[in-house]
Every structure is written in C-alpha cells, then in structure tokens.
Amino acid sequence: MKFFTLLFFFSSIVVFSVDAQDVTVTGKVISSEDGLGLPSVSIMVKGAKAGTSTDADGKYRIKTASNAVLIFKYISFKPQEIPVEGKVVLDVILESDAQALKEIVVTGYGQQSRKTLTSAITSVSADQIENLPVANTDQLLQGKASGVQVNANNGSPGGGMFVRIRGTSSINGSSDPLYVIDGIPMQSNNLAGIGVGGGVTSPMADLNPADIASMEILKDASATAIYGARAANGVVLITTKRGNSQKAKISLGTYYGAQTIDNKLAVVDGPTFESLMNEAAVNNGQAQPYANPQNAINTNWAEPIFRTAAIRNVDLSVDGGNEKIKYLVSANDFLQEGTIKVEDYKRSSLRVNLDFIPVEKLKIGTSTFFTRNKRNRVANDDGLYGPVVGAYNYPANLPFYNATTGAYTKSGIYENPLTSINESSIDMSTNRLLTNIYAEYEFIKGLKLKSTFSLDFSNIVENSYFNSLTISGSARNGLITNMNTNDDNWIQENVLTYQFKSNKNNFNVLVGTTLQESQYFRSTAIGEQFPSDQFNQITSAAVQRGTTDRTSWGIASLFSRITYDYDGKYLATVNVRRDGSSRFGEENKWGTFPSVAGGWVLSRESFMQNATAISNLKMRLSYGVTGNQSGISNFQSLGLWGGNLDDLNAPSGNAAYADIPGITPLQLANSDLKWETTKQTDFGIDLGFFKDRLTITADYYVKKTEDLLLSVPLPRTTGYNSVVQNYGEVSNKGFEFSFAASIIQKEDFTWSSNFNIAANKSKILKLAAPFNVYNRDLYRYEEGYPLYSFYFHEQTGVDTQTGAPIFTDVNGDGIFDPNVDRKIVGDANPDYFGGFTNTFTYKGFDLMAFLQYSVGNDQLNWKRFFLEHGGTRGVNFSESQLDRWQKPGDVTMIPKMNAENYASNLRSSRFMEDGSYMRLKNVSIGYKLPPATAKKLGMSSVRVYVSAQNLLTFTNYSGVDPELSGLASTKLTQGIEFFSLPQPKVFMAGFNISL
C-alpha cells in the first residue's frame, strides 16, 4: 500500500508538471467581416497579469501555461475567451459587436452611452443610408427619424429640401435645423443669387453621403441647449468615417441608374382643347373660335423637354493606420441628370481625415473636405419662363414652330418650352472647403483639453444667358448676368472635459468657449444690348452695369455641461450656454440658454429583477431654453440709411436722383431687439425587451417660441410702415414613437424591422395683426390657427341646376362676396408621418424595403387654378376640366364653363386636396460573396446589388407628387405644387468591393 501510495503521488506530480508547463502560442486575429488582420488586439492570460497585443498584421506571440485561458479584446468587437489546451498555434476570428456601436451616441461636443442618455436623440447609422441614390444629405433623413419631417422642394437634382424637427418654431426666421459636421457648424442656407422661380439649391448637397458614419438628430432642449442661440430648430450632428488601427484597406463603390417620371402632363389634347373653348364661348354668348376641333393638331409639349435621365456615382477610399496614426482618404464623383433636358448636377469631392499621436497624451488631427460642383438649372415652379410651365400652358393645338417663319411659336406670357431649353442657360458652380484642425491633450487621466479651428468657405459663380429669341432677352437684345459670391465662416473652439468616478458616482464635466465670424460678399455684373446672339460675354454688351454687396456677423459663446449617473440608475444632465451676437440691439447683445434633464433606469432596480422580459426601462424628463438669431438679418437693430436693400437686407448706399448721389432713411433703430426664445419640455420612455431584441422609444413634448422677430405696423406719421420687434408666439406640441425589432436572428436568416411615427400640432398664439403670404394671399397667419394655413373661398359644391359654384357665406349676411367671405380652410401640416423599414438576410443575400408616409396633410394643387380656367384664359386645360358641369342634374365640383364661374377674384378651396400618401421609397436586393470566395479573387469583400427609389406611391392626390413642398424661395409656404417637377423613379445597379 505504501508503494502504490508513493507511486500515485509522484505520478500526480509528473502529470501536473506536464499540464502546467509553459508553451509559446502564436497565431493571427482576424475580423469576421473582411478577413483582415486586426492590429492592437489586447490578449490577456485569464487570472494573470501577463499579456500582449497583435502587430499591424494581426499576428501575436505569447508565452503562457499550456492549460491557460487567453482573453482576446478589441474595441467594437465581441471579446472571446479561448483555452490554450496545449496548442502552440491559435488563430482567432473576432466578430464585430454591432450592439456595442449602437450604444455610443454622438452628442454636442462629445459622446455618451445610450444607457445613461437623458436626451431625445435619434441616430441614423451608415448602413441605414448606404448606397441611396440621392444628391442631398437631407434626403437621407427622410422617414428614418421620428419627429423629423423631410419633403423635397421639387424633383430637380441638388435642389432644396423642407426639413423640420418637431415643427416650425419661427415665422420670420429660418426654421431649418443647425447642421454640424465633424464639429463644424455648416452654412446650410440657399446661396444662389439668380432666381429660377420657387426652386432653390441646397448647400447640403455638397457633402458626399458615402463619407457619413452616423447622423444624430438632437431634438429636445437637453440635447440642443449646448448650441444655444442657433438650436431652437434642432441640431443634426454628422460624423464622417475615420481611419482605424488596421492594415490599409482600399474600398470601391459604384452604381449607375436611370431616372424616369410617370405623370408628366395631365392636360387635354388639341381637339379637346378647341372643343372646350367652343363650349365656353357658347356659354358666354360668344361665337365659337374653332370651326373644326376634330381636325386640330395635337402637339405633345412634354416630348421635347423630358428625358430618361442618368445617375451615376463612384466612391473610392483608403483607410488604415497603426497605434500612432489613423487615416482615411476618400474621393467621390457623382452625376445626376435632371428629367428636364439640360438640367443636371455634378459633384466631385475629396476628403482627408487624419488622427495622429506624436507623443504620449497628445493627439492632433484634421477633417478636410473639398468639393466642386456644377448645376445646370432651369426655371421651375412659379418661374413663368421655365420649360415645365410652358409645356403645361401652351395649348396642344399649337405647333412647336411657326409654319410660315420657322420661328418658335409664341403664346401669351409664357416661354415656348423649346426656347427655354435651347436659347437660354443658367449655371452655378461651387467650390467649397470644409476643414478643421484640432489638438487634444490629456493632462491627467480623464482631464482633456481640445482646441479646434474650423473653416467653411464657399465660392459660388453663377451665370445666366437669355438671347434675343427669349422673352427676357428680346427687349434687351440679349441679357447676361454674372454673380460671384464668397461666404466665409470661421470658428475657433476650446473644450475642457473631465471624467471621473467615485464609488458608484460617475461625473463628466465640460466647459468651453466659441468665437465665430461669418463674412459674405457678392459682386453682380449685368450686360444688355448685344450686337448679335453670337456674342455672349458682358464685355460685348453696349450696356453694362454692376453692384457689390458685403455683410458680416459674429458670435461669441461660453458653454458648460455636467452629466451624472449613480450606478447607472439615476441620471442627470445640466447644460448652459451664453451667446453674444452682433445682430442684436445694444441692450440685448447676450442671451443665456440653460437646460436640465433627469433620468431613472428602473430596469436596474431590485424590484425589476424578476421582470426578465424587460431588459431596459428608462424614464426621461427635460426642460430647456434655446434661441434663434436668424429671425433678423444683419444690422436690423440699427437705424439705417442708404438706397434699396438687396436680398440679404444689406443697404446699397445708393439713392441717386438725376445722377446726383444721395441717401435715404431705410429703417428705424430698435436697440431692444433680442433672440427668439424657444422653451421646450420633453417626457420620454425607453423600453427594451428580450435582451433589447425589441426596443421602443416614446416622447411627448411641448415647445413654445416667444419674442418672435416680426415686422409690426407703425402709424404713417412716423414716416415708416413698420419696425422689427420681438412680438409674437408660436407653440408646437406632439408625440413620437419608434420601434426596432430583431424578429428573427438565425445563423442563415435574419429579419429586422424599424418603424417610427410622429405627430405635431402647431398654433400661432400671438401676433400683432393677421397677415397673408404669397401671390393671391394663398396662406394666412392668424392667432389660433396653425402655420401654413390655406386661405380660400370655401366651395361646398356646384348647383346641380345652374352649374354655378356654391361658396360659404362666411359673415352670414346672406350674400357671398369674394372680397370678404374668405376663410382658413385647412393647413399643410400632416396629422402624423413616419417610416417603416424591413431588412432581411439569407446567407449571402440581403433585401431592404423602406416605406415612407404622411397622413392628413392638405396639398394645394395650384396649377389647377390656371389650367382649370373654364375658357377664361388662352392656355391649355387640365384634365380635371373634363369633369365640369354640363347639364342639369350633374353632380361635380367643377362649375359650368363661363366667365362668371371662373372669375379671377375667386379662390376656390377645391384646389386644396388631401395630400396623404404612402411611398415605397427604397427597395434593394444584394448579394455578398462568401469571404473565402472573395479572398480567392484577391478581395476581402464583394457585394453587388440592384435597387429602386420612389417605386410605388399610394395616394388620392391628383397632382404629380404629393410629397412636394414647392416655393422654397418664398418663406412660410409649404404643401404647394405649382408646375413643379416631380421626383423621379430611379432604377440602378451597383457594387462595393474592398481589397
């Protein structure tokens, strides 16, 4: 027994010694996404202090016990614990942790975990907007974020967008959100000087969507107050992609497609036009103007101006780095032709993002973006001389050319569509530089100072040319306009942050300063009276004239934020910003904008631990004050002398009389002018079920904007008509819901859904006096009514016996009087709106379908007013005219065709229609090659796809596009289609490869 006991004892020692002997383990750590090696992966021995990291190629070597367990950790990847089990070669594949990336939210001047967030912030990631065929960055937000309403101005490439976050907060000022890209507050206003009707251009189209890593929409005051005086309309933070500590990766993406429009012109043909004109003449007791309508020619005025348009895009990028330096270089070439001939938008851009650690604790870098784009434009919407307006209005019984002279056919006040395209040109070229440089130093752990200098510079050159064959150029023997605009914005910021912990108390403190200046300069040169149409430069003009405009503004700011959480359960955020602006009166140069928010994570409480289905339950409450300085232009608080004002309300200084120089008073001074102030309260709930496979976010908010900057009427005895004062109030109330679900998560098949819905109610609470907006007073602003309210004669029907329209007697005197019996009959605001996205994957295949919708919005089909004219105009008829009253007993809303029923002073509400719609905005199908197959081809990843945009639209609206919100060049108009170009259907195919 002693012998066997000793034998067992020594055998155990031998076995233990063998098991515990050291081995040298080598291997490679690669990414599951692209098969590339991951550098700087942390490799630790479990239960020991020993460790190492991978090199630039992802390779490692470590000496450890043969029975040890190695822990592999890398940012944004799921950690793994792998037992050595005596192996000397151990290769590891790390999977990306998409959920971890989603947990980080970009906030003003920093980042924060979504778990401890107390603000209403919606994130849109790069994979949600990848490969969408859009020129404008604003379009990427459409239907993706609850409470964010996005509508196209029209279907022109690179055109303006209508963007509202939680409603419209200002009447006279801009209600567009503040855009901040990589810390640079962007110039997002239309900078075009040559008007083309209601259409405008969007500077947001300068950005390359493929560069975007994420977009955060800051909605409540807790999130936006850190931006103070410019945050009343919400903030959109755009973060671009950056390099990483990996081997250099080259990526190429391209797509090509075709664009078409379905509903081109809903007008009658030539014979029908002549028959309708004859009918109107008979009803008016006049002779019929056309003897044989059945023999009339039928000209399709749409045919020579519309086309199937191309769209193409090429993106090329290189990114990589190591522990010291990270870089990304990207280039883009984009072309979108318009569905109107000669119209297009071309963009070429280059981006360099660089982060460098020259010495320990010091980090420097830059985000530099340069773009050059060119727009060939045409007049649209309410531009009388545009091709679309002419194509609608020219009667179909007229030929393209005069049969005798061969000249372009002329009809009324509108330009022949062929003349508009062939004999005139409007182009706009933009060079834009967006750049910042920064330096960040960490004094001690958690204490960092970051200083940045940023520049947003735009140079815009515009040219328009109308030769003697056009209406604009005929009286001047040719007309040329040249504009050169420089818009220069610089900003310098210093931000000190300190993050520390004490037991379960977590603090993050931020203080900062900002200095910003904007300088604007425009020169305009005009030439007239040319010897012939062969000369098209101003130097050849007999009459030459020019003007220049210059203006500037500046802002200085101090700001601070403190975020706190106790054990991840009790949360608080306090913001305060103090801004000083050159725009305001001497008594109110400075404004203070505070906010406070609290949160309670109930799911971390002990009484919730048995509710295993609930993985997250957080309640949020916030209140804050933000400002808006865009309600007035520069120098509006001063008493000004000069001549006429330009489009930026800068005095020209010229009030000459009989060639004698002079000046004249322009406006009264008001030293009390101050910011428009928006106070907002938000209550929100964040819910997660089944380990966050289902998440729900709900918010209810109340916004009230006070001290609106408006022109208040003055007695004529003052010598002025009005003066700008802080007088007026507007409210917005609403709710937002968003749902995200990972419905199926299998190895070969996944299905995820995202749905959001929002409703906002606006109301004007205070005005000095009601006022009307736009031609023929189509919109009315009055206390107690929503913004964008339509002001019409309310038509309730047509007399079945006489065919006369029946209008509401508003004042109840028993007589309908067009001069007084007019009322607000609806508004352009939707009752609710949102989007619904479903994404499926099966092995290497993927399918995405995105629906966008709007319900309850009134849409004004204003072209019907001109084309449903009952024979009172010499233009073509809308097809809706065919539903007219013709005999007793007819039930319709279209009156009998005579001069009385279609009098020019009638503004019938029948032109206002239900604009509700649901649109299959995007659908795409793709296939990604297996990593092993891609590797054999010398690539790390390959994906090919086909997609369509604006594929199907479900609506009862009779116009070309219920989504349009034309006349962006005219403030306070929304929901109007006026000879607008619809958004095209887009069919395209493309691929993405990485080397």
Side-chain angles (χ1 to χ4, degrees), residues 569-570 600-619 685-689:
K569 291 192 292 187
Y570 311 114
W600 181 17
V601 185
L602 284 81
S603 55
R604 291 182 61 88
E605 297 287 1
S606 58
F607 59 79
M608 290 289 294
Q609 299 310 304
N610 292 329
T612 56
I614 300 177
S615 50
N616 180 49
L617 172 56
K618 180 172 64 176
M619 300 175 65
I685 297 177
D686 299 326
L687 271 167
F689 297 93

Side-chain angles (χ1 to χ4, degrees), residues 183 335 392 438 730:
L335 166 66
Y392 271 107
Y438 75 88
V730 168

